[in-house]
Amino acid sequence: MKKVVITTDSSSDVPAEMARELGVSILPIPITIGDKSYIDNGIDITPEDIYAANDNDGLAAKTAALSMAEYYDFFKQFTDDGCAVVHLSIGAGYSSTYQNSLTAAGELEDVYSVDTRTLHTGILLQILHACQLRDSGMDAAAIAADLEETSKKVRTSFIISRVDYLARGGRCSSITALGANLLSIRPAVEQVDGKLKVYKKYRGKLTSCCQQYAKEALTSHGELDKRWVTVTHSSIAQETLDAVIETVKQTADFDEMIVLQAGCTISSHCGPDTLSVCFMTRD
């Protein structure tokens, strides 16, 4: 059986050290600010650079879909070494990246592109699951087939503090953004059928809103898969982060809690003081 390589794009927010430990290869998504292009790898550009451009210069960071040619070259380096590839892409509902990866996969032998139906650490959870399957000896085709079902069990959501970032990115009107910011309204957004929608609006101090969001997210989706939970934030205060971590611990007993800072792709759309709790369910 061929060696199986698990790959993803940088929207999954897999830290470089974790990727090395897991044996996961990441293709960075390009980011543009004004007339300059960067690579989402934490080296060319950081979330703090994105916030500074937005707040100081009024420039919104934009992400671009990876091309079919980029994916072809990326996959081919592994197939040339005799490996099979399982690629976990940002969901088809969020970017044409998935379709481009699927087209590239079709040009090569034993390359499978999986529509994760999600983004952010919802992809990371599926990567962790895929690595467990790989390490158990499962072949690439079987892993890809399993992930098609596993993707339906991922619960991805986040609470947003700065609605103006969504407005700059064209995801809500500037008037709505202004009203939300003035009234300290903090929308909670979740993935539903491969797309994002606002399902609740919290109001008040950020810490209490984030705690309430985390508890409600973990108790609203039936039986939990207790292997992993991710708590991801974009430059949120340590006090708030600590409070949310404690709330998660008190609400559900997960085998592993993974605490991360959001990468550039997610930060460019959501801005600072965004917090996310992602996990999987049994059904």
Side-chain angles (χ1 to χ4, degrees):
M1 190 177 70
K2 290 183 178 180
K3 176 183 177 181
V4 177
V5 176
I6 306 296
T7 66
T8 187
D9 59 61
S10 58
S11 71
S12 59
D13 278 346
V14 182
E17 182 177 352
M18 180 182 290
R20 286 192 294 269
E21 291 175 354
L22 292 172
V24 172
S25 294
I26 302 172
L27 185 58
I29 291 175
I31 294 177
T32 302
I33 300 178
D35 59 357
K36 295 183 179 180
S37 295
Y38 305 88
I39 300 298
D40 181 10
N41 58 4
I43 299 174
D44 286 351
I45 187 171
T46 66
E48 286 70 25
D49 297 326
I50 291 173
Y51 307 149
N54 183 88
D55 296 346
N56 300 335
D57 304 320
L59 297 174
K62 298 179 180 180
T63 56
L66 292 159
S67 69
M68 189 277 281
E70 289 174 306
Y71 269 119
Y72 180 86
D73 291 341
F74 180 60
F75 296 149
K76 192 172 186 297
Q77 64 181 313
F78 303 113
T79 58
D80 283 351
D81 284 340
C83 299
V85 178
V86 178
H87 180 73
L88 291 89
S89 174
I90 187 172
Y94 307 112
S95 172
S96 59
T97 288
Y98 166 68
Q99 186 58 52
N100 293 342
S101 68
L102 186 65
T103 302
E107 298 294 319
L108 296 163
E109 185 178 355
D110 287 331
V111 179
Y112 303 86
S113 181
V114 177
D115 178 5
T116 64
R117 296 182 173 87
T118 189
L119 71 172
H120 177 45
T121 49
I123 304 173
L124 170 56
L125 293 172
Q126 294 177 64
I127 289 171
L128 293 169
H129 178 72
C131 288
Q132 283 191 342
L133 298 179
R134 176 202 62 195
D135 295 345
S136 73
M138 189 177 287
D139 66 24
I143 293 172
D146 182 283
L147 289 169
E148 291 292 341
E149 294 303 313
T150 300
S151 66
K152 301 172 185 177
K153 302 174 183 179
V154 175
R155 306 296 174 235
T156 303
S157 65
F158 45 93
I159 183 169
I160 300 169
S161 183
R162 291 279 300 275
V163 189
D164 53 307
Y165 275 76
L166 294 178
R168 284 190 185 278
R171 288 168 173 77
C172 73
S173 73
S174 58
I175 295 175
T176 299
L178 176 63
N181 286 338
L182 288 176
L183 295 171
S184 296
I185 294 174
R186 310 183 195 280
V189 180
E190 69 176 344
Q191 163 208 312
V192 178
D193 297 328
K195 296 182 179 180
L196 296 176
K197 74 170 188 177
V198 175
Y199 71 94
K200 188 166 183 176
K201 296 177 182 178
Y202 296 92
R203 184 175 178 181
K205 293 183 178 181
L206 180 59
T207 298
S208 60
C209 288
C210 287
Q211 287 181 285
Q212 186 178 353
Y213 149 75
K215 183 173 183 177
E216 292 180 353
L218 290 167
T219 56
S220 301
H221 294 285
E223 185 181 359
L224 301 174
D225 180 334
K226 296 289 188 67
R227 287 179 293 173
W228 309 286
V229 61
T230 63
V231 177
T232 313
H233 69 98
S234 56
S235 301
I236 209 161
Q238 189 64 46
E239 177 184 357
T240 299
L241 180 60
D242 290 343
V244 171
I245 290 171
E246 186 59 31
T247 297
V248 172
K249 289 179 178 178
Q250 292 178 359
T251 305
D253 184 21
F254 286 93
D255 295 337
E256 182 178 3
M257 182 188 302
I258 302 169
V259 181
L260 302 169
Q261 180 151 351
C264 292
T265 301
I266 297 302
S267 297
S268 67
H269 296 299
C270 298
D273 288 340
T274 296
L275 184 130
S276 170
V277 177
C278 293
F279 52 93
M280 294 191 292
T281 58
R282 293 292 184 187
D283 300 315

